[in-house]
Amino acid sequence: MVKLLLVVVLLLLGLAGVGSSAVVTRALEHKTPMSAVQQEKRIGPTPLPHWYWRWVKWRLGEGYAKGHQLAPGLRPTRAPRQIPDWAWERLHFFLLARTESALGATGRGKGHHPTTTTGTTTTTTTSTTTTGTTTTGTTTTTGTTTTTPSGGGTYDEAIAYTQTRPSFRPTRTVYVTSASQLLAAISNLQPGDLVKATASFTVSNSTSSALIIKNRLSAPAEIDLTGVKIVYTGTSQLDGVHIGNAENLYIFGGDISTSDTGGVCLRVYGSQHVLWWGFNLHDCGATGFQAQAVGGPVDHDDFQGTIWKVGQNLAWDPHTEKGTGLHGANLWDANQTGAFTNNRFAFYAHDIPVGACVEYGNSQGVATGDVLYLKCVNATKVALTQTGGNALQIWGNIDNTTKATLDVKYLEGDNLQGFAYRDAGLSSGTDGSGIHIDYGRASNTNQNPRYAGQNPWQHQFHEVYYDAQPAP
C-alpha cells in the first residue's frame, strides 16, 4: 500500500508540471514570519558567553538582582565594559517574546480586552499576473475596528487596535525582493498600490537618508516592510527614513537604524493621513522618532513602534548639557508654526540613555486632538543641570493659546532617573487642564538625587489624572 501511494504521488507531481512550481511558489510566499523567540535564538555567538544571562537579569532587576536593578555593585564582572550590539539586539527580542507571550494569553481569554472588532469579510478572486506585479479586481477586505479606552491592563492590551489593519482594497500588488525593487516601487507608487516585501533584505545608504518617502496620494497605498532593514551607514546627521510631507499611506514593519553615528532613525517632516505600525528603531545616532510640522502640517497620522538605544552620537545635541536634547521620540518641537493635530502615537521605549522616552511640546502653532500611548522602561539619563530620564516631558504653550492639550491614554514608567510625567517645561501661565492622563503607573522613578522623594506625577499646571498610581 505504501509503495502504491508513493507511485500515485510521483505520477501526480509529474502530471502537474509547471503547476507544481506554482504550488511551491505560493507556499514560499505565504511562509509564516519568525516569532520574536525564533529571532532571539538566531542572534549572538554559539554558545552564548556565560555573562550574557547574568547581565540580562541585572538589567531587568530579576533573579539575583531582584530589587536592585542596574545597581553598579551587582553588574556582572565578566560582562565587557562596552556591551556588544548582538547582546542589545538579543535582549530586545527577548523582551518582545515576553510581549508576544502576554498577547497570546490575552487572545486565549485571559486579561482585559479593550478593543471591539466588527466582522471580517473575505472575497477570493482571480487575478492577472505580470513580473512582480499583480493587478486585482475585487480583493480581501477587513471590517472596521472600534477602540475604547482600556481603563487599565497592560500596554499591549491598550494598543490592541494595532492587531487589526485598516480596511484596504489594493488595485495593484507589487512584490519586492530587493532594495532596488522597493525604491522603484515607492518612486512609482499609485493610489491603491500594495507594495509587499516577500524576502528579507537591507536598504542602506551612506550619503543620504536610506529611504525617503514623499508621496502625496489622493487615496491610500500600502507598503509592507516586514523583514526589511533600513540603515543609514554614514557619519552625517542624516536619517534612516525621512518622510517629507507625504499623504495617504499605510506602512507596516521595518527595522530602522542610523548605525550609532547618523541622525534620527525615523523623521517626519509634515504628513497627513500616514499610518505606520510595527516599526523597530534602534542604534540611532540622534533621536529615535521625530515628527515636526515642517513643510506641512502633521495631521491625522498614526504611528506605533518600539524604540531603544538612541542618542548614540551626542555631537548632534545642541543643548548645553549633552544628551538632554535627544529622546526616544520628540513630537512637534523646534518652534515650528505648522499644525500638529489629531494624531495618535504609541511607543514602547526601553533602554533610553538620553533625554526622555517622549518629549512633546512647542511654543508656536496649534496642537489639538493628539493621543499618546507610552510604555517607558529604563530611562537612565542622569541630568545635572537640565532634565532627563523622564517617561513623558512637556514644554512650551502646546497650542499657543495658553491651554495645553494632550490625551494620554496609557502611560507606564519603570526604572526612571526622572519623572513618569514632568510638566516643569510648560510656560508660566499655561493652563494644563487639557492634558489628561487616563491611566498611569509609575515604579522605581525619581532615582536622580535632584528628584528624590518627589511625586512621579507632576501637576502644577492643573493636569487631569483619571487613574494614576501612586496617587499624584
PDB file of all heavy atoms in Angstrom, residues 320-332:
ATOM      1  N   THR A 320      23.093  72.569  26.015  1.00  0.00           N
ATOM      2  CA  THR A 320      24.313  72.780  26.797  1.00  0.00           C
ATOM      3  C   THR A 320      24.743  71.501  27.491  1.00  0.00           C
ATOM      4  O   THR A 320      25.921  71.113  27.444  1.00  0.00           O
ATOM      5  CB  THR A 320      24.088  73.891  27.840  1.00  0.00           C
ATOM      6  OG1 THR A 320      23.707  75.092  27.157  1.00  0.00           O
ATOM      7  CG2 THR A 320      25.361  74.133  28.646  1.00  0.00           C
ATOM      8  N   GLU A 321      23.788  70.829  28.125  1.00  0.00           N
ATOM      9  CA  GLU A 321      24.091  69.533  28.750  1.00  0.00           C
ATOM     10  C   GLU A 321      23.805  68.438  27.736  1.00  0.00           C
ATOM     11  O   GLU A 321      22.647  68.096  27.467  1.00  0.00           O
ATOM     12  CB  GLU A 321      23.268  69.322  30.018  1.00  0.00           C
ATOM     13  CG  GLU A 321      23.655  68.038  30.747  1.00  0.00           C
ATOM     14  CD  GLU A 321      22.927  67.853  32.064  1.00  0.00           C
ATOM     15  OE1 GLU A 321      22.107  68.712  32.434  1.00  0.00           O
ATOM     16  OE2 GLU A 321      23.189  66.824  32.740  1.00  0.00           O
ATOM     17  N   LYS A 322      24.849  67.915  27.151  1.00  0.00           N
ATOM     18  CA  LYS A 322      24.713  66.953  26.074  1.00  0.00           C
ATOM     19  C   LYS A 322      23.936  65.717  26.520  1.00  0.00           C
ATOM     20  O   LYS A 322      24.176  65.167  27.590  1.00  0.00           O
ATOM     21  CB  LYS A 322      26.089  66.538  25.545  1.00  0.00           C
ATOM     22  CG  LYS A 322      26.900  67.688  24.962  1.00  0.00           C
ATOM     23  CD  LYS A 322      26.169  68.372  23.811  1.00  0.00           C
ATOM     24  CE  LYS A 322      26.977  69.503  23.212  1.00  0.00           C
ATOM     25  NZ  LYS A 322      26.228  70.217  22.145  1.00  0.00           N
ATOM     26  N   GLY A 323      23.023  65.310  25.644  1.00  0.00           N
ATOM     27  CA  GLY A 323      22.188  64.149  25.926  1.00  0.00           C
ATOM     28  C   GLY A 323      20.791  64.511  26.385  1.00  0.00           C
ATOM     29  O   GLY A 323      19.887  63.698  26.275  1.00  0.00           O
ATOM     30  N   THR A 324      20.602  65.739  26.885  1.00  0.00           N
ATOM     31  CA  THR A 324      19.268  66.123  27.364  1.00  0.00           C
ATOM     32  C   THR A 324      18.349  66.539  26.223  1.00  0.00           C
ATOM     33  O   THR A 324      17.133  66.634  26.411  1.00  0.00           O
ATOM     34  CB  THR A 324      19.353  67.275  28.383  1.00  0.00           C
ATOM     35  OG1 THR A 324      19.975  68.412  27.757  1.00  0.00           O
ATOM     36  CG2 THR A 324      20.162  66.852  29.609  1.00  0.00           C
ATOM     37  N   GLY A 325      18.909  66.789  25.033  1.00  0.00           N
ATOM     38  CA  GLY A 325      18.090  67.219  23.899  1.00  0.00           C
ATOM     39  C   GLY A 325      17.813  66.130  22.888  1.00  0.00           C
ATOM     40  O   GLY A 325      17.221  66.391  21.842  1.00  0.00           O
ATOM     41  N   LEU A 326      18.229  64.912  23.160  1.00  0.00           N
ATOM     42  CA  LEU A 326      17.932  63.764  22.308  1.00  0.00           C
ATOM     43  C   LEU A 326      16.980  62.845  23.082  1.00  0.00           C
ATOM     44  O   LEU A 326      17.124  62.692  24.287  1.00  0.00           O
ATOM     45  CB  LEU A 326      19.217  63.019  21.940  1.00  0.00           C
ATOM     46  CG  LEU A 326      20.295  63.872  21.244  1.00  0.00           C
ATOM     47  CD1 LEU A 326      21.554  63.029  21.007  1.00  0.00           C
ATOM     48  CD2 LEU A 326      19.787  64.461  19.940  1.00  0.00           C
ATOM     49  N   HIS A 327      16.030  62.229  22.370  1.00  0.00           N
ATOM     50  CA  HIS A 327      14.964  61.493  23.057  1.00  0.00           C
ATOM     51  C   HIS A 327      14.605  60.215  22.303  1.00  0.00           C
ATOM     52  O   HIS A 327      14.987  60.027  21.143  1.00  0.00           O
ATOM     53  CB  HIS A 327      13.717  62.380  23.177  1.00  0.00           C
ATOM     54  CG  HIS A 327      13.991  63.734  23.726  1.00  0.00           C
ATOM     55  ND1 HIS A 327      14.183  63.967  25.071  1.00  0.00           N
ATOM     56  CD2 HIS A 327      14.132  64.943  23.106  1.00  0.00           C
ATOM     57  CE1 HIS A 327      14.417  65.258  25.267  1.00  0.00           C
ATOM     58  NE2 HIS A 327      14.401  65.874  24.093  1.00  0.00           N
ATOM     59  N   GLY A 328      13.838  59.365  22.997  1.00  0.00           N
ATOM     60  CA  GLY A 328      13.267  58.227  22.292  1.00  0.00           C
ATOM     61  C   GLY A 328      12.381  58.719  21.159  1.00  0.00           C
ATOM     62  O   GLY A 328      12.522  58.310  20.006  1.00  0.00           O
ATOM     63  N   ALA A 329      11.444  59.615  21.498  1.00  0.00           N
ATOM     64  CA  ALA A 329      10.588  60.246  20.498  1.00  0.00           C
ATOM     65  C   ALA A 329      10.433  61.722  20.846  1.00  0.00           C
ATOM     66  O   ALA A 329      10.269  62.078  22.016  1.00  0.00           O
ATOM     67  CB  ALA A 329       9.226  59.572  20.440  1.00  0.00           C
ATOM     68  N   ASN A 330      10.473  62.566  19.832  1.00  0.00           N
ATOM     69  CA  ASN A 330      10.321  64.006  20.006  1.00  0.00           C
ATOM     70  C   ASN A 330       9.171  64.469  19.115  1.00  0.00           C
ATOM     71  O   ASN A 330       9.262  64.365  17.888  1.00  0.00           O
ATOM     72  CB  ASN A 330      11.620  64.726  19.639  1.00  0.00           C
ATOM     73  CG  ASN A 330      11.647  66.156  20.145  1.00  0.00           C
ATOM     74  OD1 ASN A 330      10.680  66.649  20.702  1.00  0.00           O
ATOM     75  ND2 ASN A 330      12.775  66.822  19.938  1.00  0.00           N
ATOM     76  N   LEU A 331       8.109  64.971  19.727  1.00  0.00           N
ATOM     77  CA  LEU A 331       6.888  65.287  18.994  1.00  0.00           C
ATOM     78  C   LEU A 331       6.651  66.794  18.961  1.00  0.00           C
ATOM     79  O   LEU A 331       6.642  67.450  20.003  1.00  0.00           O
ATOM     80  CB  LEU A 331       5.688  64.583  19.644  1.00  0.00           C
ATOM     81  CG  LEU A 331       5.830  63.070  19.838  1.00  0.00           C
ATOM     82  CD1 LEU A 331       4.591  62.503  20.526  1.00  0.00           C
ATOM     83  CD2 LEU A 331       6.075  62.367  18.507  1.00  0.00           C
ATOM     84  N   TRP A 332       6.452  67.307  17.752  1.00  0.00           N
ATOM     85  CA  TRP A 332       6.177  68.707  17.434  1.00  0.00           C
ATOM     86  C   TRP A 332       7.459  69.517  17.525  1.00  0.00           C
ATOM     87  O   TRP A 332       8.166  69.618  16.564  1.00  0.00           O
ATOM     88  CB  TRP A 332       5.065  69.234  18.336  1.00  0.00           C
ATOM     89  CG  TRP A 332       4.407  70.461  17.797  1.00  0.00           C
ATOM     90  CD1 TRP A 332       4.472  70.942  16.511  1.00  0.00           C
ATOM     91  CD2 TRP A 332       3.578  71.355  18.526  1.00  0.00           C
ATOM     92  NE1 TRP A 332       3.729  72.072  16.388  1.00  0.00           N
ATOM     93  CE2 TRP A 332       3.166  72.368  17.604  1.00  0.00           C
ATOM     94  CE3 TRP A 332       3.145  71.420  19.836  1.00  0.00           C
ATOM     95  CZ2 TRP A 332       2.328  73.407  17.989  1.00  0.00           C
ATOM     96  CZ3 TRP A 332       2.316  72.460  20.209  1.00  0.00           C
ATOM     97  CH2 TRP A 332       1.914  73.445  19.304  1.00  0.00           C
TER      98      TRP A 332
END
